[in-house]
Amino acid sequence: MTDVKFPEGFVWGAATAAYQIEGAAAEDGRGPSIWDTFSRTPGKVFQGHTGDVACDHYHRYAADVAMMADLGLKAYRFSVAWPRIRPDGTGPVNPRGLDFYDRLTDCLLQHGIDPIVTLYHWDLPQTLQDTGGWTDRETAEHFADYAVAVHGRLGDRIRTWTTLNEPWCSAYLGYGNGLHAPGERDAGAAFRAVHHLLLGHGLAARALRAAGAEVVGVTLNPADVRPADPESAADAAAVRLVDGLHNRIFLDPLTGAGYPQDVLEHVSRLVEPDFVRDGDEKIIAAPIDVLGINFYAPTYVAGRPGGAGASAYPGTEGSVEFLPPTGPLTDMGWMIEPAALTRLLERIGRDYPGLPLIITENGGAFPDKTSADGADDTGWVADTDRVAYLDGHLRAAHEAIARGVDLRGYLVWSLLDNFEWAEGYRKRFGIVHVDYLTQRRTPKESARWYQEVIARNGL
Ligand code: PNW
């Protein structure tokens, strides 16, 4: 039990995203984003919840950072809201928006916490969506301009810059099956979005590097795709297709191999890929120093027609069934299988060698076990199931390191209970409980447990 020690200098921290925690949606010149629009569209988000107030982190960041320091976090991953910096996506920079991240950065540094920036965690300025959003090539260029503007203000203090968070979600859930903003349902739009997100990443990575950024990366949510029956050839073909549409469509071009042929063939059956221009793959392959991995659960598939529900993967309805999750599940209904994380890290280490990895998100949603709003009289929230989830996944990450994977750090999702996108506030991922009526923060049992893990650099 005791001998799970992580390498010297392993980065321990927590992650959040702007729209999920900040609130202050109309303050200091912030413009509307696609998530403001989407959450106001009836039927899109659980009970019409919005990020208008969220955890009010915009006003409470100083106390939140002090709490992070108390928990012993070494690093904190937050995202910058594009519509705070350029309210209409392209026009003049809004200095008051930058001021917030300036204050946050200084506060983190004063507490000895290393800031890790995500430039895009899904809150596209609405004005850019009005001209096509990520289906429009120009959005990629606007993204790089915005990245440079943020770096111009914070680059003297922030070392680690990541461009996108989970472009799979932006493209497939945002433009493919419509579960996320902007809520489009169109296979062609989804693949255009994939390409323009990757292009935006490449342009931004190159521009950040030129501006002197020390560490440049991107965060994906790669999937561990498994066959229902390891003996079945049809299931193996389904794995290959889903792996292509989920993993290789991003990882191959990012690492310089260009789009995989089998994936291009699949895409071409759904949309003319004329949006991929000569030279784009070279831009997308801009060198990166670190790959962020977000991991929650494995994916099991079978090679037979899927059910009626809209698949997140365009063009797979006739040939792939996504198996319903089995065994222990989180409150999201996601499978708990830590060994899948070991498999995934090993696979990425093997197929994309030479790229340092960091887990930029891992965690679980679990319902509160104590009083209706969580905190019991002792001020604790007994989230034993979250402790077990995190413990299992840290052991799995450690196993990958033992097998030679270059994993540099682990950031838990999430510091705070927050706005869980289409699920609103009903799903709680925090290691710190948030009472949304009072904005009171209460570290859960998992936060105290994590504090000890960090202090011991191991389990
Ligand atoms: C990630 N899916 O989102 C995001 O990066 C976080 O902002 C989010 O809160 C966290 O994971 C938990 O959901 C995902 O449907 C949302 O497969 C949906 C999916 C995957 C990741």
Side-chain angles (χ1 to χ4, degrees):
M1 282 302 277
T2 47
D3 266 313
V4 178
K5 282 272 178 247
F6 284 78
E8 195 76 36
F10 193 76
V11 174
W12 293 102
T16 63
Y19 190 71
Q20 296 181 273
I21 65 164
E22 285 178 0
E27 249 169 271
D28 292 337
R30 178 186 178 277
S33 83
I34 55 175
W35 270 97
D36 295 289
T37 309
F38 190 73
S39 62
R40 281 179 172 63
T41 309
K44 298 300 183 188
V45 173
F46 176 72
Q47 288 186 358
H49 293 176
T50 74
D52 285 0
V53 178
C55 307
D56 194 33
H57 174 75
Y58 192 80
H59 299 114
R60 296 169 192 266
Y61 74 90
D64 287 343
V65 171
M67 185 176 65
M68 293 180 216
D70 176 59
L71 293 176
L73 303 192
K74 312 271 186 240
Y76 173 57
R77 170 179 181 252
F78 63 92
S79 80
V80 174
W82 187 347
R84 288 197 193 282
I85 310 307
R86 284 214 161 99
D88 67 357
T90 62
V93 165
N94 170 33
R96 287 178 299 161
L98 283 169
D99 290 346
F100 170 67
Y101 298 104
D102 203 287
R103 293 193 293 276
L104 173 62
T105 299
D106 283 345
C107 190
L108 288 164
L109 294 173
Q110 276 155 20
H111 284 85
I113 299 170
D114 190 25
I116 297 177
V117 167
T118 302
L119 285 162
Y120 185 71
H121 202 126
W122 307 354
D123 41 4
L124 186 73
Q126 180 60 44
T127 347
L128 290 182
Q129 182 54 38
D130 296 342
T131 55
W134 288 109
T135 68
D136 179 22
R137 188 178 175 92
E138 280 184 24
T139 298
E141 281 153 34
H142 297 317
F143 176 64
D145 291 345
Y146 147 73
V148 169
V150 180
H151 185 273
R153 177 69 92 85
L154 303 176
D156 57 336
R157 282 155 292 156
I158 295 186
R159 281 181 62 234
T160 309
W161 294 79
T162 65
T163 54
L164 309 173
N165 176 71
E166 301 191 357
W168 179 89
C169 289
S170 299
Y172 290 71
L173 306 182
Y175 295 87
N177 71 4
L179 290 184
H180 281 186
E184 283 186 27
R185 291 163 161 267
D186 179 83
F191 290 123
R192 297 180 81 88
V194 166
H195 184 64
H196 296 140
L197 282 154
L198 283 169
L199 191 64
H201 156 79
L203 291 169
R206 186 158 79 180
L208 288 165
R209 180 89 59 202
E214 222 173 295
V215 178
V216 177
V218 61
T219 282
L220 303 179
N221 58 321
D224 175 58
V225 190
R226 312 297 297 173
D229 173 3
E231 309 287 308
S232 154
D235 292 3
V239 168
R240 173 97 182 139
L241 177 57
V242 173
D243 177 63
L245 292 176
H246 196 121
N247 297 323
R248 292 179 289 116
I249 196 173
F250 295 105
L251 283 162
D252 286 17
L254 283 169
T255 54
Y259 286 113
Q261 201 51 45
D262 61 313
V263 173
L264 276 180
E265 279 163 23
H266 179 88
V267 171
S268 304
R269 285 196 284 275
L270 298 160
V271 56
E272 177 63 47
D274 53 2
F275 45 86
V276 182
R277 298 195 190 157
D278 284 351
D280 285 359
E281 284 168 321
K282 188 157 177 274
I283 295 169
I284 294 168
I288 51 173
D289 309 296
V290 66
L291 175 68
I293 309 268
N294 293 353
F295 179 81
Y296 292 93
T299 305
Y300 283 86
V301 299
R304 52 184 178 244
S311 157
Y313 301 86
T316 61
E317 299 77 6
S319 56
V320 181
E321 180 189 330
F322 291 84
L323 301 194
T326 55
L329 307 180
T330 70
D331 198 27
M332 296 291 281
W334 296 351
M335 279 177 75
I336 304 179
E337 192 188 334
L341 175 59
T342 311
R343 291 194 298 258
L344 178 69
L345 291 170
E346 275 197 282
R347 184 276 173 105
I348 293 178
R350 186 177 59 240
D351 288 357
Y352 305 94
L355 194 52
L357 307 179
I358 175 165
I359 293 175
T360 34
E361 287 180 24
N362 174 246
F366 294 98
D368 291 343
K369 289 283 175 49
T370 51
S371 73
D373 218 331
D376 63 20
D377 331 333
T378 64
W380 285 59
V381 179
D383 60 341
T384 317
D385 30 20
R386 181 173 290 100
V387 172
Y389 180 100
L390 297 176
D391 180 86
H393 285 81
L394 279 174
R395 286 173 198 277
H398 186 269
E399 179 61 25
I401 296 172
R403 296 184 194 175
V405 175
D406 185 7
L407 179 68
R408 305 282 178 94
Y410 179 92
L411 310 175
V412 68
W413 185 269
S414 181
L415 177 72
L416 303 170
D417 290 335
N418 61 46
F419 176 79
E420 177 50 33
W421 307 114
E423 299 289 347
Y425 297 97
R426 75 166 152 168
K427 305 295 181 192
R428 294 178 176 271
F429 273 92
I431 58 170
V432 173
H433 180 267
V434 176
D435 177 344
Y436 294 110
L437 295 176
T438 60
Q439 291 293 346
R440 178 168 163 228
R441 273 73 160 141
T442 308
K444 304 178 191 179
E445 189 186 325
S446 56
R448 297 301 172 201
W449 171 86
Y450 194 46
Q451 181 175 35
E452 282 184 29
V453 171
I454 297 172
R456 281 201 299 264
N457 196 38
L459 299 163

